[in-house]
Amino acid sequence: MSASLTQARVLVVDDFQGMRTILRDIVRAMGVTRVDTAANGKDALRTLHGSRYDIVICDYNLGPGLNGQQVLDEARLHDYIGVSTIWVMVTAEKTAEMVMGAAEVKPDEYLLKPINQNMLQGRLERLIVKKQSLRGVEEAIRARDYATAIARCDQLLQADASKPQELLRIKADLHLKQGNHDAARALFESVLAVRSVPWARTGLGKVYFSQGHHEKARDCFAQVLDENRMFVEASDWLAKTLEALGERVRAQQVLQDAVKLSPNSASRQKVLGETAHKNGDLGVARAAFEKTIRISEFSSNKNPGAYVELAKVLSENDDSDEALKVLARTKGVFKDRIDMVIQAAALESTVYQKTGQNDLSQAAMAQAEQLMASQPGKLAPDAALEVAQAMLAQGRKEQAFGLMRDLVKNHHEDTGLSNRVEALFDQVQMGAEGRSLIRESREEVIQINNQGVLLAKQGNFAEGARLLRTALHNLPGNEVVMMNLCGLLIGQMRAQGKSDTLMTEVTELLERVRDINPQNEKLRQYLGLLAPAAGRAG
């Protein structure tokens, strides 16, 4: 018996008390003393949030609420488990839908009931040593120290290169998280030079996509599906690439084929709904959004966009009553999300306007604007777009333009968002004015940023900081301005010595950036620079 296995901490998740007891007793018979149980998906996530487990043995069917696939998805999403955790998915059935759903989330093992001790112990002993060797990698990942995590992957690869696939996948993902596309591409190509592996070719396609080489990306994803149509992750990326290439009808077909194979991915169903909606296929869009909502009904990661998009589809299909019911439900489900209540109220206003109920349209819009006023400068892009559309429907052009001007300025580097703003203006036959607004708004922010950076380079920190602070006051959601101001203030402290006041300002700015975008590439870099700045005498 492996000492690593007997010392492991194990969680058993099953909705039947009898099966929980059987699995718990099997694990205890292996010599494992620390075994906890959970009766459903919600309990499992609560338990995983409170403690770290080496092994999770989870049934696929968990009764009402989350299934095993969704529990694993959420556990990863919320960082309750890491690369060193063994996840064993268990089921009594072997339907194609269930097998594909389990395969998509990539558990370490997938076992059919009935399970005996020899079967389970053999699988766990094979996995435990390899998985526990990844603890150092996991610690670095949790600390977002990706360079150290990569170095530890390399150490493990050098120590034992007999089965390198999992380590190589982890290393490649870390390169992508760092934005080091050249290193990721080299790794994927080295794997593919030996044999055609679906994850490596899909990864190479992701690199091509991120670098704007959409035709090469399309060919990569298509080849993966030609060789292995069950590798549905490639379908998602192929559809995304076809969308970027303007081949939206083909993208919809790819997604429809994928959901036939694996229908229980809420994110894929939502993208199918969005694609079909853009294509004017309201029937497919409605079915996909309704499926998205059903799949994620018990999830803490519900996607509010599906509710709003479903309401839009219903309204466009002249089913305003159902659209309004969905929006009322949206307000209830997401009552703690002010941005969602604003978005739903704005869309309500548009639906009422369309049906000639002007008084109700005005009342819904008043609710949206009252909530906006309660949190100035914090309006989410989706909500801002919905409010602007409602304003334009009411003939309030000046207010809508002002809202879109602020939105573009706060996200001036987000070309995808600028395209959505442009599409909104095109929809109301104001395309030329909209493009002018977008261009001028982006140029204004770029000019301010460049001027602030230039002043800092010239050593005029005070004037540069004044300029960027003013810009940030006017654009409180612009993370580029925040990071440029951080860089300027850190540079000032390195040149002139530590200032407690500036240290506090930089720390607060970095916290704001972390809230907006925890994956900001400069965030860790600037946090690292704070230490030497803080250590200088002032």
Side-chain angles (χ1 to χ4, degrees):
M1 177 73 63
S2 164
S4 297
L5 184 55
T6 58
Q7 294 168 12
R9 186 166 188 179
V10 179
L11 176 65
V12 172
V13 187
D14 200 294
D15 58 322
F16 287 109
Q17 173 65 54
M19 196 64 206
R20 285 200 304 278
T21 301
I22 289 170
L23 287 171
R24 183 199 63 196
D25 290 348
I26 287 175
V27 172
R28 284 179 175 172
M30 299 177 194
V32 180
T33 58
R34 297 185 296 171
V35 187
D36 296 325
T37 61
N40 54 54
K42 187 176 181 180
D43 285 346
L45 289 170
R46 187 184 303 115
T47 304
L48 288 165
H49 178 52
S51 304
R52 292 289 175 187
Y53 288 88
D54 303 296
I55 301 168
V56 180
I57 303 169
C58 183
D59 192 31
Y60 185 91
N61 283 314
L62 296 172
L66 300 170
N67 62 32
Q69 175 184 345
Q70 293 170 314
V71 173
L72 177 50
D73 262 336
E74 290 207 30
R76 285 180 176 149
L77 176 69
H78 297 299
D79 200 28
Y80 298 162
I81 63 171
V83 295
S84 70
T85 305
I86 297 172
W87 193 286
V88 179
M89 195 77 77
V90 178
T91 183
E93 303 175 41
K94 197 178 181 181
T95 63
E97 180 177 315
M98 190 173 296
V99 171
M100 281 301 300
E104 271 213 76
V105 290
K106 301 179 182 68
D108 298 286
E109 281 291 350
Y110 181 79
L111 299 178
L112 284 172
K113 296 177 182 177
I115 294 173
N116 58 49
Q117 181 179 337
N118 288 338
M119 175 198 299
L120 183 58
Q121 185 171 328
R123 304 293 176 91
L124 294 179
E125 286 189 334
R126 178 173 57 81
L127 288 166
I128 191 74
V129 175
K130 180 182 72 171
K131 280 289 190 174
Q132 293 202 347
S133 70
L134 296 174
R135 282 182 172 175
V137 177
E138 182 176 325
E139 288 172 3
I141 292 172
R142 289 191 189 284
R144 299 189 186 278
D145 188 353
Y146 300 135
T148 297
I150 290 170
R152 289 175 179 172
C153 284
D154 288 335
Q155 290 169 2
L156 292 169
L157 285 165
Q158 291 170 7
D160 180 14
S162 58
K163 293 182 179 180
Q165 291 289 310
E166 183 175 8
L167 280 167
L168 290 172
R169 289 184 75 163
I170 293 170
K171 183 178 175 182
D173 286 342
L174 290 167
H175 282 315
L176 291 175
K177 283 182 178 179
Q178 282 187 314
N180 191 345
H181 296 119
D182 290 339
R185 177 177 174 175
L187 191 155
F188 292 132
E189 289 176 340
S190 69
V191 172
L192 293 170
V194 178
R195 64 187 176 94
S196 186
V197 181
W199 67 262
R201 196 169 302 282
T202 301
L204 182 60
K206 292 178 187 178
V207 171
Y208 283 139
F209 184 91
S210 67
Q211 294 178 332
H213 303 311
H214 294 139
E215 291 82 2
K216 288 183 178 180
R218 176 196 59 202
D219 294 345
C220 276
F221 302 133
Q223 182 176 342
V224 172
L225 294 172
D226 285 343
E227 294 173 353
N228 184 354
R229 75 186 187 95
M230 309 300 278
F231 199 83
V232 288
E233 181 186 358
S235 297
D236 298 332
W237 278 93
L238 177 57
K240 185 176 181 178
T241 306
L242 291 169
E243 171 92 16
L245 289 167
E247 300 179 47
R248 194 176 292 146
V249 173
R250 188 180 165 201
Q252 180 180 332
Q253 187 58 58
V254 168
L255 290 166
Q256 286 181 267
D257 291 342
V259 298
K260 286 177 185 176
L261 285 172
S262 185
N264 291 324
S265 165
S267 59
R268 181 176 303 117
Q269 290 283 359
K270 180 173 180 289
V271 174
L272 171 58
E274 290 167 344
T275 306
H277 191 190
K278 292 172 187 174
N279 288 336
D281 194 340
L282 299 184
V284 170
R286 175 175 181 171
F289 288 131
E290 288 176 340
K291 179 76 170 178
T292 304
I293 292 168
R294 284 198 302 275
I295 292 170
S296 58
E297 180 180 2
F298 300 101
S299 171
S300 64
N301 193 39
K302 294 182 183 69
N303 195 314
Y307 291 72
V308 173
E309 290 295 326
L310 175 59
K312 288 182 180 179
V313 168
L314 291 166
S315 177
E316 289 173 28
N317 207 31
D318 295 325
D319 197 347
S320 298
D321 289 343
E322 282 301 311
L324 291 167
K325 287 179 184 177
V326 170
L327 291 170
R329 182 182 173 192
T330 305
K331 288 180 174 181
V333 172
F334 302 100
K335 60 182 180 296
D336 296 327
R337 291 271 306 271
I338 293 180
D339 61 315
M340 281 314 306
V341 179
I342 291 171
Q343 191 175 348
L347 183 53
E348 273 183 340
S349 177
T350 302
V351 174
Y352 283 128
Q353 183 81 12
K354 180 181 177 182
T355 57
Q357 301 177 78
N358 294 333
D359 290 346
L360 292 174
S361 175
Q362 295 287 350
M365 194 62 189
Q367 182 192 15
E369 291 186 277
Q370 183 179 8
L371 289 170
M372 286 168 57
S374 72
Q375 49 169 24
K378 295 182 180 180
L379 190 60
D382 286 344
L385 285 161
E386 207 64 64
V387 171
Q389 186 167 0
M391 286 175 169
L392 289 169
Q394 293 178 351
R396 297 168 57 187
K397 175 181 173 181
E398 184 177 340
Q399 291 98 322
F401 271 55
L403 191 59
M404 291 298 92
R405 191 175 289 109
D406 286 344
L407 181 64
V408 173
K409 286 181 180 180
N410 271 301
H411 305 274
H412 72 282
E413 290 194 330
D414 189 338
T415 55
L417 183 57
S418 292
N419 290 339
R420 292 175 65 192
V421 174
E422 183 176 345
L424 171 62
F425 287 121
D426 284 336
Q427 187 178 335
V428 292
Q429 286 77 51
M430 296 181 183
E433 291 178 88
R435 283 185 284 278
S436 176
L437 178 149
I438 292 166
R439 184 182 62 255
E440 291 170 3
S441 299
R442 293 176 71 182
E443 287 175 355
E444 181 181 334
V445 180
I446 290 169
Q447 184 177 355
I448 291 171
N449 269 314
N450 291 344
Q451 189 176 352
V453 172
L454 179 61
L455 286 166
K457 287 181 178 178
Q458 294 172 345
N460 193 345
F461 296 109
E463 182 59 23
R466 185 198 64 76
L467 183 69
L468 292 178
R469 285 181 184 123
T470 301
L472 191 55
H473 176 76
N474 295 325
L475 305 169
N478 193 307
E479 66 179 276
V480 177
V481 176
M482 291 183 209
M483 294 309 284
N484 282 341
L485 180 53
C486 279
L488 184 151
L489 297 176
I490 291 171
Q492 181 175 352
M493 285 190 286
R494 295 176 78 183
Q496 300 175 358
K498 175 191 170 185
S499 161
D500 290 339
T501 301
L502 295 184
M503 283 291 296
T504 299
E505 183 177 1
V506 171
T507 302
E508 290 174 352
L509 286 167
L510 292 175
E511 286 301 317
R512 286 170 65 182
V513 173
R514 196 198 300 273
D515 289 340
I516 295 170
N517 178 16
Q519 302 302 323
N520 186 296
E521 292 182 11
K522 288 186 177 180
L523 189 59
R524 173 159 294 280
Q525 176 188 343
Y526 282 178
L527 285 169
L529 290 174
L530 278 184
R536 296 193 176 210

